[in-house]
Amino acid sequence: MRFLRCFAFLVVGLVHGSCLPVVEGAELDLSDQQIRLTLLHTSDIHSRLLPYDFRPLRTDIDLGLIPEAGPFGGATRMASIIKRERKKADRVLHLDSGDSFQGAPIFNINFGEVEYRFLSLLGLDAAVIGNHEFDAGAFNFTKQAKESARFPVLVANYEWEDYRSPVANNPSNTTALYTQPYTIRNVGGLRVGIIGLGNIGSLNSIVEQGNSLQAIPLEQNEVVRGYVDFLRPAVDLIVITSHAGLTEDQDLVEGYEAFYEWGIAKKYVKRTNSPWALLESFGPTNDANEPTDDSTIVRVTIPGVEGIDAILGGHLHIVLNPPQLLRDPNGRRVILSHGGAFSKYVNRLDLVIQMPPKLGDKSEGGEILSHDFKVFPIDSVWCDDGLHQLYRDQFWNAGAFIADPRVQAGVEKCKAEEDKDTSQLLLNYITDLDAKIALTTLFAYAPNDIARRNNSTGGDSPLGNITADSMRKRRGIEAEIAITNSLGIRDNLYAGPVSIESMFNVFPFENTINVMFLSGREMQELFDFITERSTGRGCVSQAQVSGARFTMDCAQAQLNQLRIPCDPTGDASECPNDGRTGGRQPWQCLTDATSGGGRCWSSPATNLTINGQPVQLNESYRIAVNDYIARGGSGFLVLKRNTTRIESGIPLRDSLIGFMQNFCTCNDLLSGNVDSYGNTIGANQQVCGTRDPARPSKWNVDPQQVSFCTQAKAFSDRLTVDDGNGCTCLGAFRGDASCPGAKDIAAQCQRDLPPGPFTGKCSCRDALAGDPVCGTVTRAVQNFCENPTRIPIASGIEDGRIGRRVK
C-alpha cells in the first residue's frame, strides 16, 4: 500500500485535446499482416563508459558474464553490439530506461555530457529520466539534455512548475522545454507510442512543495491511463520506458492499493471508466458508506492501465530473463522486461505483431502474438558466442579459461571489433580524466574482499564499519557517533591492490561529511527510523554506524505497522501482551495521523548505547553524517528538521582513503613491536588490528593478515636473492642489461618463485613476468609487487554493532 496524499493528478485537459498526436514518417498499409519489431534495451548505465573490473555475482554468471573475462562493460563494446543487432532486423527501436548518469569518475569530471553524447551517437530513439540524472542538480540535467541529447528525454509523471511563466534562474524554465511525456516513432510504417515513467520513490523530496527539482509528481496509473487513451487512436503499439521500479511497473498493469484523502479520491471512485474501488474509510460515513468529510482518509484500489503492450524497465539493476507476462484489467498480456545495469548487458526483445484487418481501424491497434528475448553479456569476449558456449560446456580451473590460446585470440578479435566512432568520442574525455584524477594510484592492499553488505545477519558490514569509523575519527570532525546510509556505499573493496579508481566505485557520489548536534531523544528517533526503514527491506540495515551499538527489532516494527487501536488518553493497556522480552521498550498509545484515533507503538530500536553508555534522552551528541541524509535523503527527516548542520567539505571518499593510509603495513605487523597492553604497534606508533569490543584496551590482529604478510615477505625476499652472477629475479623480470640471460632466468623465476600477492587479475609473480593473462599491468601495480610489505593492509570486520531481531 502507499500513502500518496501529496501526489498531484493529471488534469484530463493536459492530454486530451481536440486533435490527435502527429505521427511523422511514411504511411504504409500494414493491415492484416504479421510484422516484426525488435526492441533493443539498455538501462542504468551509470557512467560505465570505460571497461571496469568487478567480481560477477552468480546471477551475472547465469546471464552469461564470464568471471575471468574481465574487464566488463564499456561504451565501445555496447555500441558495437547495438549497431550489429540493428543490422540484423528490419524494424528496430533502441530505448533506454534511465540512470545513464553517475557511477564512474567520468561523470564526476563531465557531469553527464559524455553519457548523453554517447547515447546520441548510438541513435537512441528515446530515454526516460532516471533519479541519478539529477545528482548534479536540476540545472545540470537541463544543460546536458539541451546541449548533448539528440533523442527524446521522456517523463510523463513529473509536471515542471511555472513552465508557462518562466522566472529567472529557475531550472524548471528550461527543463520543461527539453523533456516530454511521450514520443511517437514510425518504424517502417509501424507507429509506436513511447511513454516515459520516472522514479518517485528514490526522490524523497519530490513529494514536498517547493522541492529543488521544481517538479510536481503525478500519480503514475492515472497519468499513463490518460496518455494511453490519448495515443491509442494514432498508434499501433504502446511501449512504456520506465525507471519507476519493478513493483511500480507491475502496479501500472495490475493496479495497487493506496491511501488518499476522500476529497481527492472521490471523483475517481465515482467515475464510470476504470473507477477506483473504495475499500475502507477512516471516518464518519453516510448511508452509501462514503465519507462525509473530504479530509477523511480512505483506502482505495487504483486499477491497472488497459492498452499497454510492453514495459521496458530499470532502476533495480536486475535482468528479467525471461520477461514477466502480466495481465491488464482486460486480460491482455503485457510484456515486462528489465535491462540490468552498469553497461553489463544489452537486451533484445523481438515481437511478432498481428496488425488489425482494416487500415485506419486503430481502436485496438496491433496485438503481440509472440516474443523472443536474448541477453548479450558484455565482457572481454563479448563478440564471440562460441567462447561463451565453451565456458559453459566444461569445468575450468582458476585462470585456465583466460589462458587458453583460443580465448586470448578471441579477446584480441573483440578488441578489434569495438566501435571506432565511440572510441573517437571518448578519446579526449579519457585524456582529460587521466590528467585530473590519478585513478591507478594504489594506497592500500586488501588480502580479502571487504564487503559492503552483511550477508550473515543483515547488520553492520565490514566496509560500512570502516567507512563510519573514518567519518567519526576524521581530523576536524571528531564526533561521538557517525552514520551513513548503506546504499551510499555502492561496491565492495575486492581482494588485491586498492586504487583510487576502486574508491570511486565504492563512492561514486560526491557526498561530504556533515557535523550535527542531536539530543538523545532525536538519537532514539533516528535509530527508530533506521530500524523501520530496514524492516521494509528484509531487516537488512539501511545505515552503517560508528560509536553506537543497537538492536533492530524488526518484529516490533512490524507490530507497530499493524496500527492496533488504543485510547490515546489511556495507559496503552489495550496493546498486546505477547510475552516478548529482551530489551523491548514499553508500549505507548500514539495519535494516528491517518485515522485520528490511537495506535499501539513501541520503539523498535532497542539496547541503544553511545560510547558504551545507554543513550541519555536529555544529552546532546555530536554526530557525523553524510550530506545526503543530513538534508533528508532516503527519508531521514529527523536530520532534515535539525538546524545545526555544519558542512565540512570533506568527501567520504577522501575520509576513507586517509583512514586506510594509516593502517599498518606488513612490515609493521611482522616487526614484533608491542605496547604495554600487548598490542602490535606500527612504525608511526599506530595500533594495528581492530579494537576488541569486550576489552577496550586490547586490539586484535587478524591471523589471516599475518599469514598474508608472512607470504608477502617470503616473496619479496626471494625476489631480490642474487643468483651468484649479479642477477635477481626482479632484475630478470625488468630485463636489466646487467643480468646475463635475463629472459631465461625470468622464465625460471616464474616457474620457481612463490606466486606472491594477488593483483586483482593474477599473481605478482606473473604480473612482473609479463604474463599475458594479467593484461595491462600499470606502473603502480609493478611498484607494489616489487615492494609488497610497505603498503598499508586494509581490512574490515563485522563486530555486531548492529544487532537484529526478527521474532
Side-chain angles (χ1 to χ4, degrees), residues 460-475:
D460 55 291
S461 73
L463 186 52
N465 286 348
I466 61 173
T467 296
D469 287 347
S470 76
M471 296 168 61
R472 180 172 64 89
K473 298 178 182 180
R474 175 79 180 192
R475 181 176 298 177

Side-chain angles (χ1 to χ4, degrees), residues 297-514:
I297 301 299
V298 295
R299 182 166 64 94
V300 296
T301 295
I302 300 176
V305 180
E306 303 169 9
I308 298 170
D309 295 288
I311 302 173
L312 303 185
H315 183 55
L316 293 188
H317 301 176
I318 60 173
V319 175
L320 293 179
N321 185 19
Q324 291 184 4
L325 294 179
L326 309 177
R327 295 280 180 179
D328 74 8
N330 277 339
R332 291 180 71 249
R333 290 193 315 172
V334 180
I335 300 170
L336 172 60
S337 175
H338 271 232
F342 305 117
S343 300
K344 292 186 291 187
Y345 309 103
V346 172
N347 293 347
R348 174 172 172 152
L349 179 63
D350 290 296
L351 307 176
V352 177
I353 303 163
Q354 176 64 56
M355 298 298 290
K358 295 179 182 178
L359 181 64
D361 180 7
K362 301 299 178 184
S363 59
E364 295 297 328
E367 191 76 23
I368 297 176
L369 299 180
S370 63
H371 70 276
D372 188 48
F373 181 75
K374 186 171 183 179
V375 180
F376 299 104
I378 305 179
D379 51 27
S380 61
V381 290
W382 59 270
C383 69
D384 196 325
D385 288 343
L387 291 177
H388 283 90
Q389 188 63 48
L390 176 66
Y391 180 79
R392 291 191 295 267
D393 284 346
Q394 66 185 79
F395 174 80
W396 296 87
N397 291 320
F401 178 80
I402 199 65
D404 189 293
R406 294 169 294 179
V407 177
Q408 287 293 309
V411 170
E412 294 304 315
K413 172 191 172 187
C414 291
K415 284 182 180 178
E417 293 186 15
E418 292 182 13
D419 185 62
K420 302 298 187 295
D421 293 335
T422 302
S423 296
Q424 189 63 37
L425 170 69
L426 296 177
L427 183 60
N428 289 337
Y429 292 101
I430 295 172
T431 302
D432 186 50
L433 184 63
D434 289 341
K436 292 179 178 177
I437 305 177
L439 293 176
T440 60
T441 300
L442 306 182
F443 62 89
Y445 184 86
N448 303 296
D449 290 351
I450 305 177
R452 69 187 181 105
R453 291 194 176 104
N454 183 317
N455 294 319
S456 55
T457 68
D460 55 291
S461 73
L463 186 52
N465 286 348
I466 61 173
T467 296
D469 287 347
S470 76
M471 296 168 61
R472 180 172 64 89
K473 298 178 182 180
R474 175 79 180 192
R475 181 176 298 177
I477 301 297
E478 289 99 9
E480 296 169 88
I481 313 107
I483 299 178
T484 190
N485 58 313
S486 298
L487 288 179
I489 305 172
R490 304 297 281 192
D491 202 0
N492 303 323
L493 280 179
Y494 296 102
V498 183
S499 66
I500 298 296
E501 182 174 14
S502 65
M503 294 303 294
F504 271 91
N505 294 337
V506 172
F507 294 117
F509 314 125
E510 295 296 335
N511 292 131
T512 57
I513 301 175
N514 285 193

Side-chain angles (χ1 to χ4, degrees), residues 228-291:
V228 168
D229 290 346
F230 177 56
L231 292 172
R232 253 308 168 195
V235 300
D236 304 303
L237 210 67
I238 289 183
V239 177
I240 309 294
T241 179
S242 167
H243 196 77
L246 179 61
T247 299
E248 289 77 4
D249 292 342
Q250 295 165 336
D251 291 346
L252 185 63
V253 177
E254 299 174 337
Y256 67 97
E257 291 185 9
F259 292 94
Y260 279 96
E261 290 180 349
W262 176 241
I264 294 173
K266 63 182 176 182
K267 63 181 177 181
Y268 298 96
V269 172
K270 293 175 176 292
R271 71 184 178 189
T272 303
N273 296 325
S274 302
W276 292 9
L278 177 61
L279 303 177
E280 189 176 5
S281 175
F282 298 95
T285 59
N286 56 25
D287 293 341
N289 288 324
E290 294 178 348

Side-chain angles (χ1 to χ4, degrees), residues 72-93:
F72 304 92
T76 55
R77 299 166 176 178
M78 177 180 284
S80 291
I81 291 172
I82 289 173
K83 288 182 178 181
R84 180 190 70 194
E85 297 307 307
R86 277 190 181 276
K87 292 178 181 178
K88 291 181 179 179
D90 292 331
R91 294 181 177 88
V92 185
L93 288 174

Side-chain angles (χ1 to χ4, degrees), residues 7-10 14 156-159 200 216-220 223:
F7 282 14
F9 282 86
L10 184 72
L14 289 177
N157 56 326
Y158 298 171
E159 182 183 353
I200 292 175
I216 300 173
L218 306 175
E219 196 287 318
Q220 63 170 37
V223 167

